[in-house]
Amino acid sequence: LEKFSGLFKAQNEVKRVPIKKEGIDFDKFIKENLMEDNYKKITFMLKDNKDKIEDNLLTLFDYLFEYQDKKGTVVNVVSFLLEKNHINEDLLNGLYSNIDDNLEDLELDFSNIREFFGSLKDDISSSVSNH
């Protein structure tokens, strides 16, 4: 009886299916969910694909600079990842440094990029410290 009860128990458990790494277009997934302000889907995709988290976060930031009205979504994603230790301050500071190195190029397209980036970093910092 114990043998069969284990089978039924396993069948009734709800499991979250991770996004498979093969075949997913990360750029498209990030952009679509950013446009829909679906920070939960982006967050789960990032944490389930830790081997690509840095590249995918850079992609997220790239889209954010183009769609600045989505700042709240990005703040939610990054804050959650920091709070749950899916990323650490060193990784985030490395991303910030990478972006800082390219701000001059971004200024050609976005005149307010330095102020916007500073505001984004402040929002992320205050969001994490408030929790």
Side-chain angles (χ1 to χ4, degrees):
L1 187 58
E2 286 179 33
K3 182 172 148 182
F4 292 108
S5 69
L7 286 173
F8 291 115
K9 182 180 177 189
Q11 287 177 348
N12 292 327
E13 289 179 12
V14 177
K15 296 180 183 175
R16 189 172 57 81
V17 178
I19 297 169
K20 293 182 181 176
K21 296 174 192 173
E22 308 87 37
I24 185 170
D25 182 342
F26 290 107
D27 288 1
K28 181 179 176 186
F29 182 90
I30 290 168
K31 183 177 182 180
E32 286 175 355
N33 285 287
L34 182 63
M35 294 299 99
E36 295 174 10
D37 292 319
N38 196 338
Y39 70 90
K40 288 181 181 180
K41 280 189 177 180
I42 296 169
T43 302
F44 285 120
M45 183 276 295
L46 290 169
K47 77 178 204 63
D48 287 344
N49 294 281
K50 284 193 177 200
D51 60 323
K52 298 178 185 275
I53 200 164
E54 189 171 350
D55 291 340
N56 286 328
L57 279 170
L58 279 174
T59 300
L60 181 63
F61 284 125
D62 282 345
Y63 283 125
L64 173 63
F65 294 134
E66 189 172 340
Y67 305 101
Q68 293 181 8
D69 62 319
K70 303 299 181 184
K71 184 168 89 170
T73 301
V74 174
V75 169
N76 286 336
V77 169
V78 175
S79 298
F80 179 86
L81 292 171
L82 277 168
E83 289 171 5
K84 299 299 182 186
N85 296 317
H86 295 292
I87 62 173
N88 59 36
E89 291 285 336
D90 290 340
L91 181 111
L92 186 60
N93 288 331
L95 293 171
Y96 288 163
S97 178
N98 189 327
I99 293 168
D100 270 333
D101 292 344
N102 293 293
L103 279 180
E104 191 172 307
D105 293 336
L106 290 170
E107 276 183 313
L108 297 173
D109 295 321
F110 310 104
S111 59
N112 68 333
I113 199 68
R114 290 189 189 277
E115 296 83 20
F116 180 77
F117 184 53
S119 171
L120 173 68
K121 291 191 306 188
D122 291 344
D123 288 354
I124 290 170
S125 178
S126 66
S127 177
V128 172
S129 64
N130 288 337
H131 290 102

